[in-house]
Amino acid sequence: MAVSTCSNKSLFFSLPKFSSSSNLSFNPYINLPCSEPISLLSLSTHFSKPLNPRSKSIKSTDLNLPENPTLPKTLKSRLANGETLYGLFLLSFSPTLAEIAGLAGYDFVVVDMEHGPGGISDALPCLHALAATGTSAILRLPESTAAWAKKALDIGPQGIMFPMIENSKSAKKAVSFCRFPPGGVRGSAHTLVRASNYGINDGYLANYEEELLIMCQVESEEGVKKIEEIAAVDGVDCIQMGPLDLSASLGYLWDPGNKKVRQVVREAEKGVLEKKNGGGAYLGGFAMPHDGAEQLRMRGYRMVSGAVDLGLFRSAVVEDVKRFKMNLMNGSDDDGEDDKVKDEKYWSE
């Protein structure tokens, strides 16, 4: 059970990450792992005192606590522990696809407000769905401004991605958008917003900086020239390479696998990785047809995005239609197909 304590001794729970082989089931009434579903009304049997379902918080004095409660793992703590994280970009803004992605086992899902059609209110149901699976959500902003950052942070993602960062000045501004004064310029409504559990989490202000992953996307010729200074900015946790925009910036819009583009990317990667040895940012990126997820991992990328939800769906439906039409052209029928069907999955699988 993952718990965190606050200054007023209030104690809050968060859902840990479980593998698909875990025997634990998710309890929809409260974020606790359990071997069988339990309701809020029966929850008091797990504690030394009955709980009031209408109470704002659960006091530590009301609980039989383990001696050394373990804090939930954040993206930042997992990276610090040496993990390489694998994620998906969500452009559909479908809570159902977000939930499936979380259940599938992705370490993080990027809800993309830059190229996807949705905004903050569309992203929120996706964050709800991901939270139900214990999967970290990252919001990619449509532009790097204080207004967008404020609204995005208030709905409580575990990470935030700023597009088109081209120098240390813009990187420092991005970090300032994420921090409350005097360390930054973020507007404060922390007593009411989802990020602080609507004010129930009294420890939010003490912990939000160390828990939020700040990602700066470098995706232009100017940006890669300044990538080392961007990676060295205090508060920037990850440099996200943008190969498509970078190739366009270099004059190769239709050819991100061009030799010149790949050379520029390798030099940029080298700058980030060398700076990391001195305490700089981690390296993140997108898998491409010419540069797969495993290749990125082997070169030192610590956050790898392997696919986009719309791309996965597009490939599946195009292949499905193609298979059906090919069968029509070949004049295939059901005769002699029984043995083959036995070895194939049903369409619903």
Side-chain angles (χ1 to χ4, degrees):
M1 178 172 65
V3 296
S4 60
T5 56
C6 309
S7 59
N8 68 347
K9 306 289 187 180
S10 295
L11 187 144
F12 305 92
F13 298 88
S14 62
L15 179 66
K17 184 81 172 180
F18 298 111
S19 67
S20 58
S21 60
S22 172
N23 292 325
L24 299 177
S25 63
F26 174 70
N27 172 12
Y29 295 96
I30 190 167
N31 288 342
L32 283 171
C34 54
S35 57
E36 59 184 13
I38 52 177
S39 70
L40 187 60
L41 296 178
S42 65
L43 188 63
S44 60
T45 60
H46 292 258
F47 302 98
S48 59
K49 295 180 182 181
L51 300 180
N52 177 2
R54 296 183 179 179
S55 64
K56 288 187 176 180
S57 61
I58 303 171
K59 302 299 183 182
S60 59
T61 54
D62 291 334
L63 307 177
N64 290 326
L65 295 175
E67 291 185 3
N68 295 304
T70 304
L71 293 175
K73 290 185 177 181
T74 64
L75 290 171
K76 287 174 72 169
S77 66
R78 293 180 68 186
L79 289 168
N81 288 335
E83 293 187 53
T84 297
L85 307 181
Y86 188 61
L88 173 82
F89 268 64
L90 190 85
L91 269 71
S92 68
F93 284 78
S94 165
T96 299
L97 294 185
E99 185 177 33
I100 291 172
L103 293 170
Y106 285 103
D107 297 304
F108 63 89
V109 169
V110 179
V111 182
D112 189 357
M113 296 189 297
E114 182 182 17
H115 292 294
I120 297 295
S121 59
D122 305 290
L124 182 56
C126 298
L127 267 62
H128 289 155
L130 291 168
T133 69
T135 304
S136 294
I138 297 171
L139 286 179
R140 179 156 78 161
L141 304 183
E143 59 183 3
S144 297
T145 64
W148 272 109
K150 175 172 56 179
K151 292 182 74 67
L153 292 170
D154 280 351
I155 64 172
Q158 286 71 53
I160 186 167
M161 186 184 298
F162 292 91
M164 205 58 73
I165 298 299
E166 298 196 324
N167 49 52
S168 61
K169 181 179 180 180
S170 59
K172 289 175 182 177
K173 280 187 176 181
V175 173
S176 74
F177 299 158
C178 299
R179 293 179 174 172
F180 295 112
V185 297
R186 179 181 172 188
S188 177
H190 61 274
T191 58
L192 296 170
V193 297
R194 181 177 183 268
S196 65
N197 294 342
Y198 305 99
I200 295 173
N201 181 356
D202 297 330
Y204 175 70
L205 291 181
N207 301 319
Y208 81 95
E209 284 189 25
E210 64 187 59
E211 293 179 352
L212 177 69
L213 184 80
I214 299 177
M215 306 178 72
C216 287
Q217 193 161 351
V218 175
E219 46 190 337
S220 70
E221 185 174 13
E222 180 65 22
V224 293
K225 290 178 181 178
K226 304 292 182 62
I227 198 165
E228 290 186 42
E229 66 179 52
I230 296 171
V233 170
D234 181 43
V236 174
D237 300 304
C238 183
I239 298 296
Q240 177 79 14
M241 297 299 299
L244 289 178
D245 278 304
L246 177 58
S247 64
S249 176
L250 294 170
Y252 300 94
L253 175 62
W254 294 104
D255 191 12
N258 183 277
K259 182 178 179 180
K260 181 178 179 181
V261 177
R262 297 175 74 167
Q263 182 180 354
V264 171
V265 169
R266 295 295 189 277
E267 287 298 316
E269 293 170 354
K270 182 179 178 182
V272 176
L273 293 173
E274 288 181 351
K275 187 60 64 176
K276 181 59 188 168
N277 293 331
Y282 297 101
L283 184 62
F286 302 92
M288 301 288 287
H290 66 275
D291 201 11
E294 182 60 18
Q295 292 173 283
L296 296 181
R297 184 192 67 80
M298 292 179 65
R299 293 208 305 275
Y301 282 74
R302 297 290 301 283
M303 296 190 74
V304 178
S305 299
V308 179
D309 62 334
L310 295 183
L312 290 174
F313 183 72
R314 176 199 61 206
S315 297
V317 296
V318 168
E319 181 60 30
D320 184 54
V321 173
K322 182 191 298 183
R323 186 185 303 112
F324 179 79
K325 292 187 175 181
M326 287 296 294
N327 287 338
L328 288 179
M329 292 175 60
N330 295 333
S332 60
D333 53 37
D334 292 336
D335 294 338
E337 291 293 315
D338 289 345
D339 291 338
K340 182 186 292 186
V341 169
K342 291 179 182 179
D343 296 327
E344 294 180 352
K345 292 183 177 181
Y346 290 106
W347 67 270
S348 58
E349 297 183 72

